[in-house]
Amino acid sequence: MSEPAVRLEPSLKTELRITAELKQSLDLLMLGLPELTSYIDELARENPALHVDPPLWQTSGWATGRPRSKNRRISNESDPYDPLSALRAPAPSLSDRLKAELRMRPLDSRLLRDACLIVDALDERGFLGVPLEALAERFARPLARLEAALVIVQSLDPPGIGARNLRECLHLQHRRLGEPLPVLSAIIDEHLEDVARGRLEAIARRLCVPIEAVVEAVALLKTFNPRPGGEFAVEAPVYVIPEAAVQNDAGTLTVILYDDVLPRLSIDPAFARMERRLDLDPRTRNYVSRKIAHACKLIDQVEARKATLARVLEAVVRRQREAFLHGPERLKPLTMQVIAEDVGLSVSTISRTVREKHIETPWGVIEFKRLFPSPVGGSGDEATPTTSDAIIRKIKAYIDAEDKTNPLSDEALAALLHQEGVPVSRRTVAKYRAMAGIPSSHQRRSPGNGRSVTTTP
């Protein structure tokens, strides 16, 4: 049996290869402002020929959610973006506040230590999520002493602190009012879920009380804080800094790039002088030239990133002109494919340009991608394509105007939208209503005035 012959045949084919330079350009394009700044800092550590001046928001302590315009006057009275605000002392934590209050009480040292131990065990809500038995075993403390310390902690401000669950938290706040309401106590014990679902008449029937008593008790219940420690939670602020703005000057829309929010790149002067020296040995000259060439390419790529952002934003402004003139309710459905055809770039390039970018508009700082709302509806002869934001605004308007004793169901809201040429399903309405944080019709229902419910035991 003969072995198969092995032959080499030349062939021509076209394939796309991504060079290191192209990959770096794509990486720069899709990075948001903080990531871009960190990436450039990393490259600068590897390339001594690259000189980086940090952006204004990084050096001055100014991180405000919008960049400082070049012609803005700097005044302590008129400028809300005060760099000294970063030097202000942080607000005391919940633990600090409670321990300070404990030290003002006439407590013996052992009880004070036990109370501080319980304070340290509170979670961000102000609840004691650890059983007292576990604390007693872990720290070798008598359980009776910890129980006495817990009573002291629960007497501190804010009311409800030190509770072991939601019901105890609400009861603690109820007792602080002086004379408790029996109806409210029963509601806290047995009917919190009914309150959440707006079933006040059912509560009245089960407790055999007038509906007015339930309404009064629920109104008082809604003034309680289910997370008494939440107001003291310290979260690191997240600052959003736009890279560009769209300004409306008497109907003329202008795109402005904020150059001062980006790192300022240049060639290090010492390296530039070194390259011009005539006495350098070839190996050193080659190293210096390569580093300077890499730095120049990065500078060009950052400038290309800015130019691409400007081109894409200008194309979006032309397509969404009505929204920039009259408000976000005029946003029209827009796809990245349309913008890609307008500017002569690929859809993937548009996607990278939009990613993680923020734009300042006449109606606030927004994510760039919000200017590309997806179409909703639009099927059928009488349907009109619209956006999810527009549907949410319509739903809010309908609910604001509804009869609270007979609120609109999701099905009724879908029917109203259908009459306006937006054929969406009940499920879609429910989804957008939930996105807007609006309760269901059962939860929005208010009992009618003057009615009472009596039942026979």
Side-chain angles (χ1 to χ4, degrees), residues 61-68 72 75 78-85 360:
W62 161 71
T64 62
R66 55 178 283 177
R68 205 186 290 268
R72 181 179 295 166
S75 166
S78 61
D79 190 355
Y81 311 122
D82 181 11
L84 296 179
S85 62
E360 185 175 6

Side-chain angles (χ1 to χ4, degrees), residues 313-374:
L313 182 54
E314 288 168 355
V316 172
V317 169
R318 287 193 294 270
R319 291 282 182 174
Q320 300 285 18
R321 177 179 174 80
E322 289 298 311
F324 287 106
L325 292 178
H326 304 292
E329 63 275 3
R330 298 289 190 92
L331 281 172
K332 300 182 295 185
L334 182 63
T335 64
M336 294 184 185
Q337 178 66 47
V338 171
I339 298 300
E341 295 172 356
D342 286 351
V343 298
L345 297 173
S346 66
V347 176
S348 62
T349 300
I350 303 299
S351 176
R352 288 185 174 92
T353 305
V354 171
R355 183 182 182 272
E356 300 295 331
K357 311 295 189 305
H358 290 81
I359 308 299
E360 185 175 6
T361 71
W363 18 277
V365 175
I366 64 170
E367 289 183 285
F368 197 173
K369 64 183 181 182
R370 277 197 58 195
L371 299 176
F372 292 84
S374 301

Side-chain angles (χ1 to χ4, degrees), residues 181-443:
L181 297 176
V183 174
L184 182 51
S185 296
I187 289 174
I188 294 173
D189 284 333
E190 303 173 7
H191 299 289
L192 289 181
E193 184 177 350
D194 290 328
V195 172
R197 296 183 178 275
R199 299 195 292 242
L200 304 190
E201 294 181 351
I203 297 174
R205 286 195 300 269
R206 290 170 188 158
L207 297 180
C208 300
V209 297
I211 186 66
E212 290 84 2
V214 175
V215 172
E216 179 186 359
V218 170
L220 182 59
L221 178 64
K222 289 181 178 180
T223 66
F224 296 169
N225 187 354
R227 297 171 59 91
E231 59 185 288
F232 300 96
V234 179
E235 296 182 0
V238 178
Y239 298 107
V240 173
I241 302 177
E243 295 190 46
V246 180
Q247 293 186 353
N248 177 10
D249 185 10
T252 301
L253 298 177
T254 307
V255 172
I256 300 174
L257 293 182
Y258 288 127
D259 293 330
D260 54 0
V261 303
L262 292 171
R264 293 167 294 245
L265 308 182
S266 60
I267 302 299
D268 184 81
F271 258 69
R273 288 193 300 269
M274 191 180 300
E275 189 183 33
R276 294 193 295 268
R277 287 176 51 183
L278 301 178
D279 57 343
L280 281 183
D281 62 90
R283 184 176 179 181
T284 303
R285 183 178 299 280
N286 180 54
Y287 172 80
V288 171
S289 298
R290 280 192 296 106
K291 293 299 182 182
I292 290 178
H294 290 163
C296 289
K297 288 176 183 176
L298 178 62
I299 293 172
D300 292 341
Q301 289 166 349
V302 171
E303 291 299 316
R305 177 186 182 276
K306 290 162 54 179
T308 303
L309 177 61
R311 285 178 61 193
V312 173
L313 182 54
E314 288 168 355
V316 172
V317 169
R318 287 193 294 270
R319 291 282 182 174
Q320 300 285 18
R321 177 179 174 80
E322 289 298 311
F324 287 106
L325 292 178
H326 304 292
E329 63 275 3
R330 298 289 190 92
L331 281 172
K332 300 182 295 185
L334 182 63
T335 64
M336 294 184 185
Q337 178 66 47
V338 171
I339 298 300
E341 295 172 356
D342 286 351
V343 298
L345 297 173
S346 66
V347 176
S348 62
T349 300
I350 303 299
S351 176
R352 288 185 174 92
T353 305
V354 171
R355 183 182 182 272
E356 300 295 331
K357 311 295 189 305
H358 290 81
I359 308 299
E360 185 175 6
T361 71
W363 18 277
V365 175
I366 64 170
E367 289 183 285
F368 197 173
K369 64 183 181 182
R370 277 197 58 195
L371 299 176
F372 292 84
S374 301
V376 179
S379 60
D381 296 336
E382 299 179 358
T384 303
T386 186
T387 65
S388 58
D389 285 346
I391 291 179
I392 290 175
R393 281 190 291 271
K394 289 179 184 294
I395 290 174
K396 286 182 177 179
Y398 291 142
I399 291 176
D400 288 342
E402 71 183 358
D403 178 4
K404 298 304 179 184
T405 62
N406 187 25
L408 295 168
S409 65
D410 293 338
E411 188 173 354
L413 290 169
L416 290 171
L417 289 168
H418 187 88
Q419 292 174 8
E420 292 197 29
V422 185
V424 293
S425 66
R426 181 195 60 79
R427 287 188 177 182
T428 302
V429 170
K431 179 182 74 171
Y432 289 141
R433 176 181 54 72
M435 287 171 56
I438 300 174
S440 66
S441 58
H442 293 293
Q443 295 170 313

Side-chain angles (χ1 to χ4, degrees), residues 71-123:
N71 59 355
R72 181 179 295 166
R73 295 180 181 179
I74 300 178
S75 166
N76 289 336
E77 295 180 357
S78 61
D79 190 355
Y81 311 122
D82 181 11
L84 296 179
S85 62
L87 303 179
R88 292 172 187 148
S93 66
L94 173 64
S95 177
D96 294 336
R97 293 280 296 270
L98 295 177
K99 288 179 180 179
E101 190 174 347
L102 284 171
R103 293 186 185 100
M104 297 176 65
R105 300 283 184 94
L107 304 174
D108 64 67
S109 58
R110 290 192 307 174
L111 197 54
L112 176 61
R113 285 198 303 270
D114 292 341
C116 289
L117 176 65
I118 291 174
V119 167
D120 289 334
L122 300 181
D123 61 21

